Amino acid sequence: MGRTRGFDVDEALSLAMDVFWRQGYEATSMQMLCQAMDLQPGSVYAAFGSKWDLFVAAVRTYMESVSAESVERINTAASGVQGLRDYFGALVDAMVDGRRRWGCLVTNSLVELTERHPELAGVFDQHLSNLRTSFAGALTRARAAGELRPGAGPESAAFLVAVVQGMNVMAKTHPGRDVLQAVADQAVAGLVRTR
C-alpha cells in the first residue's frame, strides 16, 4: 500500500508554475523548484516525475486556471464588445500589478522551447485556438448587435490573438499601464463602430 503524500499536490504544482513562469524552463533548476514548493527532491520526483514532466503539468495547470479565467471574461460579458474590453482590462491589470507582469507562461514557453520541443506545439495551439474561438464568439455577438465597424467580425479574432501575444512579450519589459492600455484600446477601437 502506497504512502499518503504529506503535501497538497495542486498547491505544489501552482508554486512550480510560478517559478517556470518567472524564470522560464531552462533557467529553472530542480533546486529552485524544490525550494519554492518546500519539498525534498525525492518527493518532487515521486509526485511529478522529471523536471520536464513537472513543467508540462505546470503549463496545463496554467491553461486550466489562468487562461480559462481570462477567456471566461470574454464569454460571460453582457455584450461582445464588453467582453473584449473586460478581457483587455483584466489583462493590463495583471501585466502591471499581477503575475502577468512575467508575460504569459504559454507565450514565454512557445518562444523558448518550440524549436527544441516540437511536441509542445499541440498544447500551445490548443491555448491559442481557445483564445481565438472566444474572440470570434464575442465578435460574432458584437456584429449581430451592430457594435462593429463594417468589415469587422469574427475573422478579426486572429488579429486580437496577435495583439495579446505582442502584449505578453511587451509585459516582460514592464512598459507601464499607459502603454499597455493604449495598445489594448487601439486594438478594440479599430473594430468598434463609432457612435
Side-chain angles (χ1 to χ4, degrees):
M1 184 174 211
R3 290 182 16 204
T4 304
R5 289 195 176 101
F7 64 93
D8 183 318
V9 172
D10 292 335
E11 181 181 330
L13 189 53
S14 180
L15 294 167
M17 178 185 74
D18 283 352
V19 177
F20 284 124
W21 196 353
R22 257 191 332 267
Q23 301 292 129
Y25 177 77
E26 295 294 342
T28 297
S29 67
M30 281 303 288
Q31 181 181 4
M32 293 166 73
L33 292 163
C34 291
Q35 185 175 14
M37 293 187 285
D38 195 25
L39 294 173
Q40 295 299 315
S43 296
V44 175
Y45 288 116
F48 302 106
S50 68
K51 174 184 160 184
W52 181 255
D53 294 332
L54 178 56
F55 171 74
V56 171
V59 168
R60 292 192 186 283
T61 295
Y62 178 92
M63 290 171 56
E64 292 166 3
S65 58
V66 178
S67 293
E69 181 182 309
S70 297
V71 164
E72 190 66 15
R73 280 189 183 84
I74 301 168
N75 297 335
T76 59
S79 74
V81 169
Q82 191 59 52
L84 299 178
R85 289 186 174 132
D86 289 351
Y87 174 86
F88 280 105
L91 181 66
V92 170
D93 286 346
M95 287 175 167
V96 173
D97 298 320
R99 291 171 15 189
R100 291 293 285 263
R101 68 187 177 278
W102 307 321
C104 166
L105 177 59
V106 173
T107 302
N108 297 347
S109 302
L110 192 145
V111 171
E112 179 186 9
L113 299 170
T114 50
E115 293 257 331
R116 286 172 288 151
H117 298 280
E119 69 275 14
L120 285 176
V123 174
F124 297 152
D125 286 347
Q126 176 189 347
H127 169 77
L128 296 176
S129 177
N130 290 344
L131 183 58
R132 189 171 46 252
T133 298
S134 293
F135 280 146
L139 290 164
T140 298
R141 290 188 293 139
R143 178 189 273 171
E147 297 176 311
L148 299 184
R149 292 177 185 270
E155 60 279 359
S156 302
F159 161 73
L160 292 177
V161 171
V163 170
V164 171
Q165 296 312 302
M167 290 176 69
N168 284 328
V169 174
M170 286 176 65
K172 293 177 69 77
T173 68
H174 311 288
R177 180 177 297 278
D178 291 345
V179 171
L180 292 166
Q181 192 64 59
V183 171
D185 290 346
Q186 289 173 24
V188 175
L191 301 173
V192 176
R193 180 186 298 277
T194 55
R195 299 291 174 196

